Amino acid sequence: MNSLVVSDVTLAFGGLYALSDVNLTIQAGLITSIIGPNGAGKTSMLNCISGFYHPTRGAIRFGERVLTRASPHQVSSWGIARAFQNIELFRGMTVLDNLMLARHRKLDYSFWHAFIYMGRASRQEAVNRAFVEEIIDFMELEPYRKHIVGGLSYGVQKRVEVARALTLEPQLLLLDEPMAGMNIEEKEDMVRFVLDIQKERHTTVVLVEHDLGVVMDISDQIYVLDFGQLIGSGRPEEVARDPKVIEAYIGEN
Amino acid sequence: MSANRWFATGNFFSAYRDEQRIFATHLDRAIFATFLTALFVWPLCFEVSSKNMLVLDNILVAMVAIIGLNLVTGFAGLISIGHAAFVGVGAYTLALLARTIGDSHVLITHAWPLMLLGCGGMGALFGAFVGLPALRLKHLYLAIATLSFQMIFQWTINFLPMFNQGQTISIGRVFWFGGEVSRKDHYFFWYYVALTIVVVFGLAVRNLLRSRYGRSLVAVRDNDRAADAMGMHPGLTKVYAFALAGFFAGVAGGLHAYLYRGAGIESFTLQQSITYLAMAIVGGLGTLTGAFWGPAAIRLLDLQVENLVEWLTAIMPANMNLATALKPLTFGLVIVLFLMFEPRGIANWWRICRSYVKLWPFRY
Ligand SMILES: Nc1ncnc2c1ncn2[C@@H]1O[C@H](COP(=O)(O)OP(=O)(O)OP(=O)(O)O)[C@@H](O)[C@H]1O
Ligand SMILES: [Mg+2]
């Protein structure tokens, strides 16, 4: 499995530095969290990794691949999937179709097969449908399979987001506040899913989350951002003791 | 799948392959087959005038065009205000060939199925080219690109002697197994050709829409950021959508040219593009059956208004202006009414009827 290395990444919007000289290493197989107050640059970091933004300076590498200038569809085809902070689902489609779309690259029958829809096309669709069903099972979305996504509750939509990212069969999964706006019960479920994703599906997880309790509980490694700068990093207990981190969080309150 | 494959109620699927079926029950399949047979057989049983047959031919040709427009505008969400120009590309591909090699050359009269495909291919090429701005532009800006293509097309045809400056370029009669298709049989012959094409394309597109090539169209319409994250190139997907629409338009254009035995600019103007959009909207954007309902409804409405105009001019000749204004007026009104009250088009009424019948004898 590959590790993700972010070196000296700076992202500027005009005069505003969303990220300045940030260095991170996301080790394969672990859960790494990125925390920080609002506007610290967490989402910007994920956007740089997944190709939606391109850093002004610096480089991002995933194993051999250089992600610095890649576009989102390339990054996703290299095994990095992402769930968005502001839900970005295909609202008019069913849960099933949303997940089937994540299999786009895995289906490689030709255009002409699609017209006839026999042999290859139909076979591949069925195989991938079975895989999607496995994810639906894993994320406990069975009751919503044929529901239109736009009509589902916020918590369920968040879960569909994660499910869709998982359907891409990523090596590395980026989760942007997957628990925001959820009630305790939904949060507990999501924590369980994240742990299972790491342990059972052997996927590296990057978690951006405001709920520090959850972050401290499940992370192997934590990076702390504030005003676009990396102000601390380490194991949960180290970060919790770091005076700079405590100040950033108390300063916020 | 349970034992009774005739009714939908009480049935469940037990394999993903079962769910792929277009027709879930034997009953659906039987109804569809009967309906198709009826469409093919009825002209043999009844006396139909050439005039009425032409109306039907026209509807069928429009259906081919609207299948394309619906793919790009309905499914991929890219407004095209130049669809008539793409139909024109198809028609003029044939016309130009006829002008170069003679309008009764074997290629044109005997190899017409090949010619129709060629028209489609040319339409697809132009579609892809006009769609290129989709790599950069979005929404209205893109619509403007299609509008400019419409304008450039009209201008080119009207001014270049090569295209007879928009005057009709004639195309010879085609041959079938029994020899040349006679004047008397002309419209019947094209009825069968157009009907076959509509059925084949309809089924093909139905298949396409449940494949990766169809889902990606809807994906870029719904959320192109997410489509990007799912590994699709949103820009290229849109270019592909335009090419696809261009193909169907091109075939429709070829059919049109054969049907009227010629091509002239008046059938491919901006006004016709808007009529096509109206058909797509009234039929139901983003639904396959909408491509069949729309052209039928709009053409029939057209005829009714024509009758009304005739009747009005007969009883009050002084009021000519009112009568001629009636056509665009009704037209506009229908579009607005549909956009306001039934944006999902006639296809939605069809869907409601179907689901009612499907669940029978239960209410829901
Ligand atoms: N496209 C953009 N254009 C201009 N400024 C931007 C853009 N995207 C982000 N920013 C700015 O960059 C800074 C970091 O934003 P970011 O969304 O990364 O924060 P965050 O850590 O994810 O915050 P939150 O916890 O609220 O989600 C903010 O000041 C934001 O306004
Ligand atoms: Mg954020």
Side-chain angles (χ1 to χ4, degrees), chain A residues 52 72-73 76 84 88-93 100-102 104-105 107 109-111 114-117 122-123 125-126 129-130 133 146 164 168, chain B residues 13 16-17 19-20 203-205 207-208 210-213 215-216 218-220 222-223 225-234 240 244 248:
Chain A
F52 283 96
H73 53 271
S76 90
F84 294 87
E88 302 260 11
L89 290 166
F90 304 106
R91 292 179 55 83
M93 297 186 205
M100 275 311 277
L101 267 162
H104 188 76
R105 289 272 181 139
L107 298 160
Y109 53 83
S110 77
F111 185 66
F115 266 133
I116 305 173
Y117 211 82
S122 139
R123 203 161 349 116
E125 287 282 334
R129 172 65 200 279
E133 214 55 48
K146 298 254 164 111
R164 190 182 62 179
L168 287 162
Chain B
F13 300 110
Y16 301 130
R17 279 276 180 106
E19 219 177 6
Q20 288 180 353
L203 288 173
V205 169
N207 282 338
L208 191 78
R210 59 204 176 122
S211 75
R212 71 193 287 263
Y213 298 95
R215 280 192 297 262
S216 62
V218 188
V220 295
D222 271 15
N223 187 337
R225 273 166 64 82
D228 210 344
M230 292 303 108
M232 287 159 228
H233 191 305
Y240 146 74
L244 209 54
F248 290 101

Side-chain angles (χ1 to χ4, degrees), chain B residues 28-225:
Chain B
D28 283 350
R29 197 183 295 260
I31 291 172
F32 183 71
T34 317
F35 178 65
L36 264 193
T37 321
L39 280 180
F40 276 95
V41 170
W42 77 268
L44 306 174
C45 311
F46 301 95
E47 195 68 36
V48 200
S49 70
S50 282
K51 182 171 166 257
N52 286 337
M53 211 59 192
L54 178 60
V55 172
L56 291 178
D57 291 355
N58 252 321
I59 293 177
L60 289 170
V61 172
M63 282 177 183
V64 177
I66 299 301
I67 290 177
L69 182 59
N70 211 353
L71 282 174
V72 71
T73 300
F75 286 96
L78 308 162
I79 298 173
S80 169
I81 322 183
H83 203 62
F86 291 112
V87 177
V89 166
Y92 272 96
T93 303
L94 193 64
L96 204 57
L97 191 71
R99 233 169 121 82
T100 336
I101 62 174
D103 67 358
S104 297
H105 191 277
V106 198
L107 262 181
I108 292 185
T109 56
H110 289 68
W112 53 266
L114 221 64
M115 291 294 110
L116 287 178
L117 276 182
C119 295
M122 195 59 91
L125 272 181
F126 273 81
F129 182 72
V130 174
L132 279 182
L135 294 174
R136 294 263 152 185
L137 302 180
K138 279 189 181 169
H139 311 303
L140 269 181
Y141 300 101
L142 202 52
I144 298 293
T146 62
L147 178 63
S148 22
F149 175 64
Q150 173 77 51
M151 287 344 229
I152 293 168
F153 176 79
Q154 273 173 247
W155 190 88
T156 313
I157 301 292
N158 274 326
F159 286 89
L160 290 190
M162 185 165 86
F163 296 108
N164 208 9
Q165 298 186 314
Q167 309 287 333
T168 307
I169 300 173
S170 74
I171 285 154
R173 291 190 180 285
V174 298
F175 282 70
W176 184 236
F177 291 110
E180 197 184 54
V181 176
S182 72
R183 184 187 186 80
K184 186 167 72 62
D185 293 338
H186 184 75
Y187 293 132
F188 289 85
F189 176 75
W190 287 107
Y191 171 80
Y192 282 107
V193 175
L195 183 60
T196 310
I197 290 180
V198 167
V199 172
V200 171
F201 282 3
L203 288 173
V205 169
R206 174 72 179 69
N207 282 338
L208 191 78
L209 287 173
R210 59 204 176 122
S211 75
R212 71 193 287 263
Y213 298 95
R215 280 192 297 262
S216 62
L217 295 179
V218 188
V220 295
R221 176 192 73 191
D222 271 15
N223 187 337
D224 62 359
R225 273 166 64 82

Side-chain angles (χ1 to χ4, degrees), chain A residues 87 89-95 98 144 147-154 156-157 160, chain B residues 222:
Chain A
I87 298 171
L89 290 166
F90 304 106
R91 292 179 55 83
M93 297 186 205
T94 61
V95 172
N98 265 274
Y144 312 108
H147 288 222
I148 299 292
V149 161
L152 296 172
S153 73
Y154 183 80
V156 177
Q157 288 196 23
V160 177
Chain B
D222 271 15

Side-chain angles (χ1 to χ4, degrees), chain B residues 289-311:
Chain B
T289 55
F292 308 129
W293 299 117
I298 292 287
R299 282 269 191 261
L300 293 182
L301 181 75
D302 218 29
L303 287 179
Q304 292 313 312
V305 176
E306 252 165 43
N307 287 342
L308 186 69
V309 167
E310 239 169 63
W311 183 74

Side-chain angles (χ1 to χ4, degrees), chain A residues 31 78 111 133 136 145 197 209:
Chain A
I31 297 179
W78 294 336
F111 185 66
E133 214 55 48
I136 287 181
R145 198 180 278 124
I197 288 169
E209 185 51 56

